[in-house]
């Protein structure tokens, strides 16, 4: 799958102004963001990109924000080189070591996750993924039935498997992510992961003890009713992919209508990962 990269340069903007633009881009279908020294980059699957809709959405901020942007087409074949040149190993709480296949293993970590990212998103570098991994370290996964929605590279599904989950279902609408999850599950010998390609319609009619959903606010809101249907009583759901302000309160309000009770959250650079329990 090809992606469009919208590269924003902001002149002296405060964080909340950048966040306004990021929220606008999420509403247009951007599923991944990358902070830069000059601003940020938003990525939209080529099939979802509409330049006229982009201009219309951004028109609301003319005169309010001082920014410029450039649209670049990123063909599928370019992603591997980009990831390999930028993907450095990461450590999470001195317990998780995430590396690519071309990095040297490192001793002393209870959990090592090997990711061949290809074009799929989710290497642990983004705040949302790393915070989800941190929250998972405090959760009991032993023998649990787990669903990972928007699985990307499969990193969260793999972590659930390493934490002792019984079975893990990993779903992503992008065929590249589906293939990447299968490959990375094999790399990590996570034989209890079943990967499916699709969106909420692909979710099996089963019950889950834990749901991991690191996507974005709009998709979470759209899919939340289905999550509530398949989550066991007292089951746990982790939401991420959105901002603390204003998104967390919006997510809390929607979750409450499905008896998903807010427990706690982590925040990093205004990104949030939050834990909810079904009552």
């Amino acid at each position: 799958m090809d992606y469009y990269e919208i590269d924003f340069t902001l002149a002296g903007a405060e964080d909340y102004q950048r966040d306004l633009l990021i929220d606008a881009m999420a509403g247009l279908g951007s599923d991944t963001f990358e902070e830069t020294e000059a601003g940020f980059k938003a990525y939209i699957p080529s099939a979802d990109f509409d330049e006229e809709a982009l201009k219309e959405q951004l028109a609301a901020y003319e005169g309010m924000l001082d920014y410029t942007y450039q649209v670049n087409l990123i063909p599928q074949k370019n992603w591997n080189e980009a990831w390999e040149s930028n993907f450095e190993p990461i450590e999470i709480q001195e317990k998780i070591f995430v590396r690519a296949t071309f990095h040297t293993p490192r001793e002393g970590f209870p959990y090592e996750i090997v990711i061949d990212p290809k074009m799929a998103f989710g290497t642990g570098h983004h705040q949302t993924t790393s915070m989800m991994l941190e929250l998972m370290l405090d959760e009991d996964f032993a023998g649990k039935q787990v669903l990972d929605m928007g699985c990307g590279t499969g990193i969260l599904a793999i972590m659930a498997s390493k934490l002792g989950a019984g079975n893990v279902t990993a779903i992503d609408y992008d065929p590249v992510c589906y293939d990447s999850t299968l490959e990375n599950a094999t790399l990590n010998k996570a034989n209890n992961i079943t990967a499916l390609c699709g969106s909420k319609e692909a979710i099996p009619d089963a019950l889950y003890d834990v749901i991991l959903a690191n996507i974005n606010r709009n998709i979470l809101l759209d899919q939340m009713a289905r999550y509530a249907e398949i989550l066991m009583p007292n089951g746990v759901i982790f939401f991420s992919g959105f901002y603390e302000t204003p998104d967390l309160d919006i997510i809390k309000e929607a979750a409450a209508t499905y008896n998903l009770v807010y427990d706690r959250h982590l925040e990093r650079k205004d990104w949030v990962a939050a834990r909810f329990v079904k009552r």
Side-chain angles (χ1 to χ4, degrees), residues 69-242:
Y69 69 90
Q70 182 175 343
V71 178
N72 304 306
L73 176 64
I74 310 295
Q76 175 173 338
K77 63 183 179 65
N78 290 351
W79 277 107
N80 288 355
E81 293 179 6
W83 277 120
E84 291 195 15
S85 65
N86 293 300
F87 184 12
E88 294 296 330
I90 62 170
E91 303 173 8
I92 296 175
Q93 292 191 341
E94 298 183 346
K95 294 181 179 180
I96 304 173
F97 182 60
V98 183
R99 67 177 179 87
T101 49
F102 45 85
H103 293 137
T104 303
R106 191 175 300 172
E107 296 182 356
F109 290 84
Y111 306 102
E112 179 186 67
I113 300 176
V114 182
I115 295 293
D116 186 1
K118 295 187 182 297
M119 279 182 58
F121 294 109
T123 60
H125 288 76
H126 193 272
Q127 291 90 345
T128 58
T129 309
S130 61
M131 287 189 293
M132 289 284 277
L133 291 168
E134 287 184 33
L135 287 174
M136 291 174 70
L137 284 171
D138 295 330
E139 196 68 34
D140 178 13
F141 279 84
K144 301 290 180 65
Q145 302 298 307
V146 179
L147 173 66
D148 179 11
M149 286 299 296
C151 58
T153 60
I155 186 171
L156 300 183
I158 292 166
M159 189 67 223
S161 177
K162 289 180 177 289
L163 289 169
N167 291 288
V168 184
T169 301
I171 299 177
D172 203 293
Y173 76 96
D174 189 338
V176 174
C177 294
Y178 166 77
D179 291 337
S180 182
T181 295
L182 290 175
E183 292 176 14
N184 289 324
T186 299
L187 281 174
N188 290 273
K189 299 180 180 179
N191 300 321
N192 58 342
I193 294 177
T194 299
L196 300 173
C197 191
S199 186
K200 63 182 178 182
E201 79 286 344
I203 299 175
D205 289 325
L207 291 177
Y208 296 91
D209 301 292
V210 181
I211 297 176
L212 310 166
N214 180 16
I215 312 177
N216 66 49
R217 187 192 70 185
N218 293 340
I219 294 177
L220 294 176
L221 293 173
D222 175 67
Q223 299 186 355
M224 198 177 294
R226 180 60 174 149
Y227 299 159
E229 286 179 351
I230 59 173
L231 187 62
M232 294 273 284
N234 297 314
V236 175
I237 185 164
F238 296 96
F239 290 129
S240 194
F242 53 89

Side-chain angles (χ1 to χ4, degrees), residues 14-80:
E14 296 184 24
D15 286 348
Y16 84 91
Q17 295 174 315
R18 178 205 62 197
D19 294 345
L20 285 173
L21 289 174
I22 289 178
D23 190 60
M25 295 307 301
L28 289 172
S30 292
D31 57 9
T32 298
F33 300 91
E34 176 188 351
E35 293 185 20
T36 66
E37 290 186 5
F40 70 93
K41 296 179 181 180
Y43 296 92
I44 303 178
S46 58
D48 298 333
F49 180 69
D50 183 336
E51 189 158 11
E52 289 305 314
L54 172 64
K55 292 177 180 178
E56 183 177 330
Q57 184 86 315
L58 295 179
Y61 301 100
E62 289 185 7
M64 182 193 310
L65 306 178
D66 186 3
Y67 68 90
T68 58
Y69 69 90
Q70 182 175 343
V71 178
N72 304 306
L73 176 64
I74 310 295
Q76 175 173 338
K77 63 183 179 65
N78 290 351
W79 277 107
N80 288 355

